[in-house]
Amino acid sequence: MPNPNLIQLLDNFDREEILNCMQCGFCLPACPTYRQTGKESASPRGRIALMKGVVDGQLNVDAEFEDNMYLCLGCRACETACPAGVPYGSLLETARDVVERNKKDIGEHSFLRDLLFEEIFPNPDRIDRLGTMLWASQTLGLQKLANKMGLINLLPRPMREMQSAVDQVASPWQRMKRESVIHPEPDASQNLRVGMFKGCIMDVMFFETNQATARVLTKAGCEVVFVEEQACCGALHAHSGEQNGAKELAKRNIEAFEAAGVDLIVNNAGGCGAALKEYHHWFHDDPQWQERAMKFVAKCRDANELAAELFSALEFRGELPGVRITYQDSCHLAHGQGVRAQPRQLLRSIPGVEYVEMMEADRCCGSAGIYNITNFDMSMEVLDEKMENVKSTSAHLVVTSNPGCLLQMRKGIQRAGCEGQMEAVHIMDLLDRVL
């Protein structure tokens, strides 16, 4: 049954930006899905043409349109390649929002989707409880038993495959005893009060990476505050066509960090950081919240940015003699935030290491939030191509700046048969190790 509200929904598209796409094709070689399929509809140029067709009433918001929008990884490499500066990521989010709101209007609800985006991700306590269940499963050996007995095969293939890349998560007691404020070392020369954006999944599955990030920043002279009232950044909502939910999470975070009275807001996940730095765009139609969002965005820094800025205060007390390191860019850190030089500067400064630049280091690894769950086969095709470049570096350590990339690179190492030869590690964990 046609949706009578569809015309109003289509007004959400920025027609001017759609028309700014010159259809030049510079984006094609930068697009992972176009490289894998060779299909015009799987390219940024093709998807924008489909959006224009929908806006002009020549195409329907149907299953084919939905499939083409969700095949995209959202890596935003096309934005870096685009000579016209078309904000493809924003257009994609709008397209997915139109798809999902249209489905809701015509009664095509997904119980699982509502559960994830309305009941789980917006509630840190529920994510924490799920983390405790995962910890118990690992600690009691249930995960290993399920693998050994074949019970793991009851899970959908993407979850079955990716669970092997998940390390032991922190215990609930470790998470509970964390100090809310971590003070800088006594002889520190800096005087910054930094709010740590800990993320939702990040703070459960990569709790120790958050702790490592805090230690690195305190060694640089920062007082690090874990603001308890914060929520999920909203990136998964925005990328999945749930823009209203994304805005509500953004409001919660803006209020929480306003109340915390911090000088800067720091995160260690490229995907989260890109969302945090774009909050003001989410409120383009709400002047009051946009003003508050702009003040929030002005304080946001990736941990690599701040560590590089305060580098003179960092003292390396360890070294990694003879260790070869390469760096895999987080798409949303490189293309979304433009942070490329700082992590490389930090890695090259570690005593004893040999830094090797990877060919096409900023090409997507195929993680893309939950893409390796929702589009597993395409994700693995992109990953396998990436691993050819990884292997050519002969690196011992593959360093990343995003938790999704970290899991994906671990999976890639497994698939490439390189276990025991190389290890994937988050840059903050590595810096903490040598500081």
Side-chain angles (χ1 to χ4, degrees), residues 158-216:
M159 297 180 67
R160 185 170 73 239
E161 293 274 356
M162 292 307 300
Q163 58 86 30
S164 63
V166 177
D167 271 352
Q168 177 73 38
V169 302
S171 73
W173 296 281
Q174 286 176 285
R175 302 198 298 272
M176 287 172 57
K177 70 180 183 181
R178 176 170 61 197
E179 297 177 359
S180 59
V181 179
I182 304 178
H183 300 284
E185 295 190 355
D187 58 348
S189 59
Q190 305 296 326
N191 188 27
L192 283 173
R193 179 177 167 87
V194 172
M196 181 74 189
F197 188 84
K198 58 186 180 179
C200 49
I201 301 296
M202 182 77 192
D203 205 43
V204 172
M205 296 182 65
F206 299 96
F207 176 85
E208 286 301 328
T209 301
N210 276 349
Q211 294 298 94
T213 304
R215 287 191 292 267
V216 169

Side-chain angles (χ1 to χ4, degrees), residues 44-169:
R45 179 177 71 179
R47 292 188 184 99
I48 290 176
L50 293 174
M51 294 177 203
K52 183 177 185 300
V54 163
V55 168
D56 291 343
Q58 297 172 345
L59 297 174
N60 296 320
V61 181
D62 54 16
E64 184 178 1
F65 180 78
E66 177 182 355
D67 290 344
N68 282 309
M69 295 305 111
Y70 276 102
L71 184 65
C72 178
L73 290 134
C75 70
R76 296 170 66 172
C78 53
E79 292 187 14
T80 300
C82 180
V86 175
Y88 174 82
S90 176
L91 291 175
L92 180 69
E93 288 178 358
T94 300
R96 291 177 175 176
D97 185 57
V98 167
V99 166
E100 297 306 328
R101 290 171 68 177
N102 181 56
K103 288 169 69 175
K104 288 179 180 178
D105 283 348
I106 61 177
E108 293 183 9
H109 281 278
S110 165
F111 170 76
L112 180 59
R113 184 183 180 88
D114 290 347
L115 179 66
L116 287 173
F117 290 111
E118 296 179 15
E119 303 298 332
I120 295 180
F121 285 126
N123 294 285
D125 290 345
R126 293 174 185 174
I127 294 176
D128 191 65
R129 286 196 288 272
L130 288 172
T132 298
M133 292 170 61
L134 177 57
W135 167 82
S137 169
Q138 293 173 326
T139 303
L140 296 173
L142 299 180
Q143 188 177 17
K144 290 182 179 179
L145 181 64
N147 277 297
K148 185 176 181 179
M149 297 183 64
L151 297 176
I152 204 74
N153 294 326
L154 297 174
L155 291 175
R157 186 186 171 209
M159 297 180 67
R160 185 170 73 239
E161 293 274 356
M162 292 307 300
Q163 58 86 30
S164 63
V166 177
D167 271 352
Q168 177 73 38
V169 302

Side-chain angles (χ1 to χ4, degrees), residues 15 37 40 80 90 118 137 149 153 164 168 209 213 224 268 316 319-321 332 351 372 392 426-427:
R15 289 168 166 80
T37 67
E40 180 69 16
T80 300
S90 176
E118 296 179 15
S137 169
M149 297 183 64
N153 294 326
S164 63
Q168 177 73 38
T209 301
T213 304
V224 179
N268 54 17
F316 290 107
E319 58 180 44
L320 299 173
H332 284 87
N372 53 11
S392 69
H426 193 286
I427 189 170

Side-chain angles (χ1 to χ4, degrees), residues 60 223 227 317:
N60 296 320
E223 179 181 75
V227 180
R317 296 170 182 169

Side-chain angles (χ1 to χ4, degrees), residues 379-406:
S379 172
M380 293 301 106
E381 287 181 29
V382 173
L383 175 60
D384 290 342
E385 181 180 5
K386 165 63 69 173
M387 287 308 299
E388 292 302 313
N389 292 335
V390 173
K391 288 189 294 183
S392 69
T393 67
S394 299
H396 304 111
L397 297 178
V398 183
V399 184
T400 76
S401 296
N402 188 59
C405 298
L406 181 57

